[in-house]
Amino acid sequence: MEDYLIKSIINDGMFRAYVINGTNLVQEAQKRHDTWSAATAALGRSLVGTTMLAASLLKGEEKMTVRINGGGPVGGIVVDGNANGTVKGYLQHPHVSLPLNKRHHIDVGKAVGNQGTLSVTKDMGLKDPFTGKVGLTSGEIGDDFTYYLAQSEQIPSSVGVSVFVNPDETVEVAGGFMIQVMPGASDEAINRLQTTLTHLPQVSDLLRQGKTPEDILKLIFSNDKVKILDKMPVSFVCDCSKDRFAKAMASLPSKEIKTMIQDDHGAEVSCRFCGNKYQYSETDLKAILLKAKN
């Protein structure tokens, strides 16, 4: 099944709803970072959540960076997203697997921890990016995105994100929903939605049954007026390149670049977001040294 996100409006503006199948993008992240089950679920949920958050808050060429660090064994998680449906991300410790929790699910809350923060930095093309930060409520990721939207964006919301990891560490499915309550929503409609979400299976269970994002939207808003505004492809894409890293290396002290040339006779740089490696010969480094500013 293809990866995509749908944007919709419910009951002429009572709710905004986003539903995503992000299976392929989480599979790509798992392969690139060689993550184990708990780390896969934590990174996968963060990628899915960031994709929906970016789709709901950004436009044009705007970008955002989500950072999550709860003090758990996976360490810090960093995800970059944009308005066009592409994300990239990594975590500090990919080789984390834990016993299942009481509900027999991957214990993402324990893997991430809840003694820390979730921050969102939005680059709107202005001089200074804006950063909003909240304390983690559970480390389960969905709850934490929900809390961020309520506290930093003043948008009452419900966010559900889930990843199903197979025994061989591969990702079977990944997806999620984000529902935002608009000012015109009636108490009756809100109460009905809360009841529905309480009984809704995990999105990963629905995707495993072959449900599409449109099917999941109908399950949530079965008797409501649903208008789909957009269907957007989503994917894991890293924009790193040898040239971009060369520009970054040119900002290093000249002394460091000279050491690479004289002692190491070259350099290798690895991208944290995707794992791609770039080799720089002595000739490459001499060219970078000419551009160094110090």
Side-chain angles (χ1 to χ4, degrees):
M1 193 188 292
E2 62 177 320
D3 277 11
Y4 65 93
L5 175 149
I6 54 173
K7 303 178 183 180
S8 64
I9 198 155
I10 316 299
N11 292 341
D12 299 319
M14 280 193 185
F15 305 99
R16 279 199 306 242
Y18 306 80
V19 186
I20 178 176
N21 179 354
T23 299
N24 294 309
L25 78 84
V26 176
Q27 287 174 342
E28 182 71 15
Q30 189 279 325
K31 283 185 281 194
R32 284 185 173 271
H33 296 296
D34 185 35
T35 49
W36 295 356
S37 59
T40 300
L43 179 59
R45 289 184 184 187
S46 302
L47 288 162
V48 167
T50 301
T51 306
M52 293 190 291
L53 192 69
S56 73
L57 298 179
L58 304 181
K59 58 184 184 294
E61 298 305 309
E62 295 171 351
K63 298 176 286 189
M64 69 166 50
T65 299
V66 173
R67 292 180 176 85
I68 301 168
N69 197 332
V74 299
I77 303 170
V78 180
V79 180
D80 281 358
N82 58 41
N84 304 314
T86 65
V87 284
K88 60 180 182 178
Y90 67 90
L91 36 62
Q92 278 180 291
H93 306 297
H95 292 162
V96 178
S97 56
L98 298 171
L100 299 180
N101 61 22
K102 291 174 184 174
R103 293 173 298 154
H104 303 289
H105 294 149
I106 293 172
D107 201 340
V108 176
K110 190 169 184 180
V112 173
N114 58 18
Q115 304 299 309
T117 58
L118 180 153
S119 70
V120 178
T121 301
K122 287 182 279 188
D123 181 355
M124 312 295 228
L126 305 171
K127 189 177 178 184
D128 297 313
F130 168 80
T131 299
K133 183 184 287 189
V134 295
L136 292 173
T137 60
S138 70
E140 291 281 342
I141 308 297
D143 301 337
D144 304 302
F145 274 106
T146 298
Y147 187 61
Y148 168 80
L149 279 161
Q151 294 297 310
S152 275
E153 303 290 341
Q154 281 74 55
I155 305 172
S157 307
S158 180
V159 180
V161 286
S162 55
V163 177
F164 190 92
V165 183
N166 294 314
D168 66 356
E169 304 293 356
T170 60
V171 173
E172 185 172 335
V173 294
F177 65 80
M178 176 183 290
I179 298 162
Q180 299 176 345
V181 181
M182 296 294 100
S186 66
D187 289 343
E188 181 195 354
I190 293 169
N191 291 336
R192 194 166 65 241
L193 173 64
Q194 287 174 331
T195 302
T196 300
L197 293 179
T198 300
H199 297 98
L200 188 75
Q202 283 200 311
V203 172
S204 55
D205 292 337
L206 296 171
L207 291 171
R208 292 180 77 206
Q209 293 168 21
K211 301 275 194 253
T212 65
E214 290 87 348
D215 295 332
I216 295 168
L217 193 63
K218 283 178 192 166
L219 272 176
I220 299 171
F221 295 105
S222 53
N223 298 313
D224 296 288
K225 182 181 174 186
V226 175
K227 182 181 181 184
I228 294 177
L229 303 174
D230 192 18
K231 177 179 174 180
M232 181 172 74
V234 297
S235 56
F236 185 103
V237 174
C238 189
D239 53 357
C240 69
S241 67
K242 186 172 180 177
D243 187 50
R244 281 189 75 166
F245 277 115
K247 286 175 182 171
M249 289 166 74
S251 66
L252 293 171
S254 298
K255 188 169 72 174
E256 287 188 30
I257 303 171
K258 286 175 183 174
T259 300
M260 292 180 205
I261 295 168
Q262 291 162 7
D263 296 357
D264 304 325
H265 308 291
E268 180 182 88
V269 177
S270 177
C271 176
R272 295 194 75 176
F273 282 100
C274 69
N276 283 350
K277 291 181 170 59
Y278 298 96
Q279 309 289 335
Y280 296 86
S281 65
E282 285 187 61
T283 305
D284 293 332
L285 292 174
K286 285 172 182 173
I288 291 168
L289 183 61
L290 290 173
K291 296 175 185 173
K293 294 181 175 64
N294 49 36

